[in-house]
Amino acid sequence: YTQTVHMGRSEPVYFAFGNPPTTELIIYKQNDKNEPLEGAVFEIYIDNTKAFTMTTQDDGYIRITPEEFGKYLGSGENKTTWDITVTEITPPSGYLLPVVEQRSQTQTIQQGQTTVSFSFVNTIYPEIRLIKEDGDTCEPLDNALFQLDIAGKTFGTFITDSKGEIVIKYEDSTNEKGELVKGYGRFLDDLDEPNANQWQVKFTEITPPGGYLLPDNPVQENTLVLGQTLSVFSFYNWKYPDIVIKKYDSSNNQLLAGATFDIFIDGTQIPGSFITDIDGTIRISYDVYGTYLDNINKPADKTWTVRVVETSAPANYFNAGVLTNKSQENILVLGSKLTEFVFKN
């Protein structure tokens, strides 16, 4: 800046120069709960020329002093305005970059302006959470195996814990046993979709808990959306029913021990014979017949024909065939409490 005056012979000449203050640049980073975020990386451009690359501190701020910032503002002769553009290039760990339209902000500052401030908001990636429960009691079920697909690609397989849950976070975490549960963040990075803000998430039940059948529909899908809580995936399983045989005295309806029966499922005999106990009852759970049942039925089957044949009556009793038919059939049905047979001697 130049000043020119015309001076007389004996008069002093005074020149006055003023310098406007330079500007402090402030960038603030927070989440959608107004909490400061550390670790966000920004590029700062002055009139389309990159001047700084800086990272927010634990208070969420980047502060560039007037001395540092002023070096760049003074580069243009007689300039009185500058365009300042701030662009987020890396979000804090566990957070999404804003959508493309919100990653950059531009302000025009005037000569003499003391402060220019920018504020950015990041949204955390939601958890992916699944709950597995008994269809009758709603008790949590562990040891159910699921496959998880994200954006049409398989991410991995996971097993429900003692609370019947699978919880997958953006970052790696540990389960109740202290085992590593890989986070899905790096998987999204590998998809190479920098502008995506939603992804399709699909769980498929592969193996039900012991003693339970796969549900009719073992697949559920939902959409993981930036800034939204993902709905919980809820799966229910029903137990295989018990097969119950009861033996009565035909005259007084007392239960009788010592009657022997053979059992057939879909025409194939379960190995061994079964004898009524002191309460006149035989109760056969899935733990007894399950492995054999799986060998003779497709997993999709939901009903089976069970035939029970009395082969030996209790001591001092006639076989059931003397009074009634010694063979009975019933249907073993998914979701029922039991399949019961009653015989009288």
Side-chain angles (χ1 to χ4, degrees):
Y1 182 69
T2 302
Q3 295 185 28
T4 303
V5 298
H6 298 282
M7 54 182 287
R9 291 179 176 272
S10 59
E11 298 173 350
V13 176
Y14 298 94
F15 293 87
F17 290 86
N19 292 95
T22 53
T23 306
E24 179 183 28
L25 174 65
I26 298 174
I27 301 170
Y28 180 62
K29 186 67 173 178
Q30 65 183 11
N31 62 21
D32 50 6
K33 297 179 181 178
N34 299 321
E35 298 168 335
L37 295 178
E38 180 181 6
V41 181
F42 290 88
E43 292 180 340
I44 298 98
Y45 293 80
I46 301 174
D47 288 338
N48 296 319
T49 299
K50 186 168 75 172
F52 304 94
T53 300
M54 303 191 73
T55 303
T56 55
Q57 303 303 301
D58 56 5
D59 61 357
Y61 280 98
I62 293 171
R63 292 181 174 88
I64 304 178
T65 66
E67 290 76 19
E68 286 296 312
F69 196 49
K71 295 176 183 178
Y72 293 89
L73 299 186
S75 59
E77 185 176 356
N78 296 326
K79 283 184 68 67
T80 58
T81 64
W82 297 265
D83 290 330
I84 312 301
T85 299
V86 176
T87 301
E88 183 176 1
I89 59 173
T90 305
S93 179
Y95 285 82
L96 281 160
L97 274 172
V99 293
V100 174
E101 296 79 5
Q102 298 175 5
R103 292 179 191 176
S104 293
Q105 297 179 26
T106 299
Q107 295 187 44
T108 299
I109 64 171
Q110 306 292 326
Q111 185 182 67
Q113 186 174 334
T114 57
T115 304
V116 57
S117 297
F118 296 83
S119 181
F120 290 80
V121 177
N122 282 109
T123 302
I124 197 168
Y125 281 86
E127 291 181 343
I128 299 175
R129 185 165 177 257
L130 176 147
I131 295 179
K132 184 70 169 175
E133 295 179 337
D134 183 293
D136 291 318
T137 66
C138 292
E139 294 178 354
L141 299 178
D142 60 357
N143 293 321
L145 177 66
F146 287 86
Q147 176 177 303
L148 173 61
D149 295 295
I150 301 176
K153 298 183 179 180
T154 299
F155 175 54
T157 56
F158 302 86
I159 297 175
T160 54
D161 60 19
S162 63
K163 296 180 289 186
E165 292 184 341
I166 295 171
V167 179
I168 303 167
K169 300 181 179 181
Y170 176 82
E171 298 179 300
D172 292 347
S173 59
T174 54
N175 61 19
E176 61 185 7
K177 297 179 180 178
E179 299 167 336
L180 176 69
V181 179
K182 61 182 179 180
Y184 64 85
R186 283 174 291 180
F187 184 79
L188 293 187
D189 292 339
D190 291 340
L191 294 177
D192 195 25
E193 298 176 353
N195 297 326
N197 62 1
Q198 63 181 40
W199 302 266
Q200 198 69 13
V201 177
K202 180 175 73 173
F203 272 112
T204 303
E205 185 170 358
I206 305 300
T207 306
Y212 285 84
L213 278 163
L214 281 171
D216 289 333
N217 182 11
V219 178
Q220 292 185 25
E221 296 189 56
N222 209 331
T223 303
L224 180 71
V225 180
L226 168 64
Q228 296 183 11
T229 300
L230 182 63
S231 299
V232 176
F233 293 85
S234 296
F235 284 80
Y236 298 91
N237 290 93
W238 280 264
K239 284 184 176 180
Y240 283 87
D242 289 345
I243 299 172
V244 178
I245 304 167
K246 291 188 176 182
K247 185 67 172 177
Y248 291 91
D249 182 302
S250 60
S251 61
N252 57 23
N253 285 329
Q254 289 183 344
L255 288 164
L256 302 175
T260 303
F261 293 87
D262 288 341
I263 298 173
F264 300 79
I265 297 180
D266 288 345
T268 302
Q269 184 176 358
I270 298 178
S273 294
F274 300 86
I275 302 174
T276 55
D277 59 18
I278 192 172
D279 296 318
T281 301
I282 297 170
R283 181 178 292 272
I284 307 169
S285 69
Y286 175 82
D287 293 336
V288 174
Y289 70 80
T291 301
Y292 182 73
L293 183 70
D294 291 341
N295 288 337
I296 62 173
N297 290 276
K298 300 186 298 294
D301 289 343
K302 296 298 184 294
T303 62
W304 304 265
T305 299
V306 180
R307 184 165 65 94
V308 176
V309 179
E310 183 176 2
T311 60
S312 178
N316 302 318
Y317 282 83
F318 290 108
N319 282 333
V322 175
L323 299 176
T324 62
N325 192 338
K326 67 176 182 179
S327 176
Q328 295 183 26
E329 285 190 359
N330 209 333
I331 302 297
L332 186 69
V333 180
L334 168 63
S336 64
K337 301 296 183 183
L338 52 83
T339 296
E340 186 170 283
F341 298 83
V342 175
F343 288 81
K344 295 186 178 183
N345 291 74

